[in-house]
């Protein structure tokens, strides 16, 4: 059987000449997306708060002969986002794809979640997605179209204790996706989202390990055996996801194959959420 992680199903040069703006594209799932889109020929502008994240990612891609550049920004700051989008437009003359991937997350009981903690996650995940989408709109509209792909999640499809902030924000991302898809269709801007299942990125391992007193089961806290057991019992397709699993869907949506797709939210999770019923997921034993 062909291993989709070793062999690309996309033709070389598929995205030649395209310009991609990706937030949070220097780490985890975002880097997997940056990597695949750059491999397919796009120039990828990787943006996040920490210069070392984005610069390291750009150097890694450049060392492989791909086109990439870095931008330091906080997606909560609409003015910063606008300035970076203007720079990209001035330098490249276009933005074909926006990937809204930046997010913050942690487990916290809703009863004691501070207003700042709530605000921070909602501002990064939801406001950030809006700021970036609004900033690329004039560029995409002027060039006759574009693609926006946002990274959502599946946890808000049912109740997910200790995650009120992120589930509320991502439910908002889903609503925004559907609304912008219809509102911006006349400009030929396709707006879609991807809802990944569990992907053990470093950021998630850190953020999702709940504090000892939070009452949450430990998610990634322990050994690989625990993860293997979860893959066997909690994910119908029997394995954890990888950044490439998500990147493949982004590449599909960025390609001409995505031409008639807008307002869709694609679950890419090995069947995880559908199989859960009333149970909580990762780490519930
Ligand atoms: P990650 O590695 O922690 O990625 C988060 C990225 O967002 C980082 O590169 C971070 O870079 C950037 N970021 C955070 N706050 C930002 C801000 N204010 N402005 C700009 N950039 C910011 O986590 P991940 O697991 O790859 O998650 C990527 C996306 O997938 C997220 O949208 C997440 O909700 C979604 N997701 C992940 C999973 C999973 O199991 N991994 C499941 C469902 C959905 P800086 O620190 O440099 O800013």
């Amino acid at each position: 059987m062909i291993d989709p992680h070793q062999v690309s199903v996309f033709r070389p040069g598929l995205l030649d000449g395209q310009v991609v703006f990706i937030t949070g594209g220097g780490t985890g799932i975002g880097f997997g997306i940056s990597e695949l889109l750059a491999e397919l020929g796009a120039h990828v502008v990787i943006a996040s708060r920490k210069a070392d994240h984005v610069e390291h990612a750009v150097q890694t891609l450049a060392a492989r002969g791909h086109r990439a550049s870095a931008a330091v920004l906080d997606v909560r700051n609409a003015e910063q986002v606008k300035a970076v989008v203007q720079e990209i437009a001035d330098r490249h003359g276009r933005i074909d794809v926006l990937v809204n991937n930046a997010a913050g997350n942690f487990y916290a009981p809703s009863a004691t979640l501070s207003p700042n903690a709530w605000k921070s996650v909602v501002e990064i995940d939801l406001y950030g997605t809006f700021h970036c989408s609004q900033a690329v709109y004039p560029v995409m509209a002027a060039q006759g179209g574009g693609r926006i792909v946002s990274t959502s999640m599946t946890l808000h499809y049912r109740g997910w204790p200790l995650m009120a902030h992120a589930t509320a924000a991502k439910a908002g991302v889903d609503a925004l996706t559907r609304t912008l898809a219809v509102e911006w269709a006349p400009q030929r801007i396709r707006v879609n989202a991807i809802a990944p299942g569990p992907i053990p990125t470093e950021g998630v391992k850190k953020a999702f390990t709940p504090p000892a007193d939070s009452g949450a089961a430990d998610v990634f806290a322990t050994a690989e055996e625990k993860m293997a057991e979860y893959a066997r019992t909690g994910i119908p397709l029997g394995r954890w996801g990888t950044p490439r699993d998500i990147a493949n869907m982004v590449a599909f949506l960025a390609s001409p194959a995505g031409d008639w797709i807008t307002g869709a939210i694609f679950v890419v999770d090995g069947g995880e959420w559908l199989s859960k019923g009333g149970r909580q997921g990762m780490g519930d034993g």
Side-chain angles (χ1 to χ4, degrees), residues 210-271:
D213 59 355
S214 71
D218 60 336
V219 177
F220 290 105
T222 52
E224 292 202 342
E225 288 118 47
K226 183 158 180 166
M227 289 176 70
E229 172 68 7
Y230 181 70
R232 205 174 52 73
T233 57
I235 306 174
L237 288 181
R239 68 167 172 83
W240 289 72
T242 65
R244 185 57 65 124
D245 288 316
I246 308 308
N248 282 330
M249 182 56 85
V250 179
F252 179 84
L253 290 170
S255 79
D259 198 59
W260 208 49
I261 303 175
T262 199
I265 296 161
F266 293 90
V267 174
V268 181
D269 76 338

Side-chain angles (χ1 to χ4, degrees), residues 1-145:
M1 196 169 81
I2 293 173
D3 179 348
H5 295 93
Q6 301 300 325
V7 179
S8 176
V9 300
F10 302 103
R11 78 170 158 74
L14 179 67
L15 303 181
D16 271 355
Q18 292 211 12
V19 177
V20 174
F21 170 38
I22 175 168
T23 64
T27 66
I29 294 173
F31 182 66
I33 297 169
S34 302
E35 200 176 27
L36 179 58
L37 301 189
E39 274 168 33
L40 295 175
H43 180 109
V44 181
V45 182
I46 301 175
S48 76
R49 292 164 306 176
K50 296 182 188 139
D52 57 327
H53 280 165
V54 290
E55 279 160 14
H56 181 259
V58 166
Q59 281 159 16
T60 305
L61 296 180
R64 295 183 204 156
H66 303 316
R67 286 179 282 273
S69 48
V72 174
L73 63 68
D74 187 325
V75 295
R76 290 172 288 190
N77 184 327
E79 292 310 312
Q80 267 182 29
V81 169
K82 263 194 220 160
V84 167
V85 164
Q86 189 60 52
E87 269 171 44
I88 302 170
D90 289 347
R91 184 165 161 207
H92 298 279
R94 55 188 305 108
I95 299 176
D96 298 280
V97 182
L98 161 68
V99 183
N100 287 307
N101 170 78
N105 210 355
F106 48 84
Y107 272 105
S110 301
T112 52
L113 184 67
S114 73
N116 264 348
W118 164 270
K119 185 168 178 259
S120 176
V121 170
V122 175
E123 279 194 348
I124 298 171
D125 296 18
L126 179 56
Y127 284 42
T129 297
F130 182 69
H131 293 154
C132 294
S133 302
Q134 194 184 46
V136 300
Y137 172 85
V139 182
M140 289 185 175
Q143 72 197 14

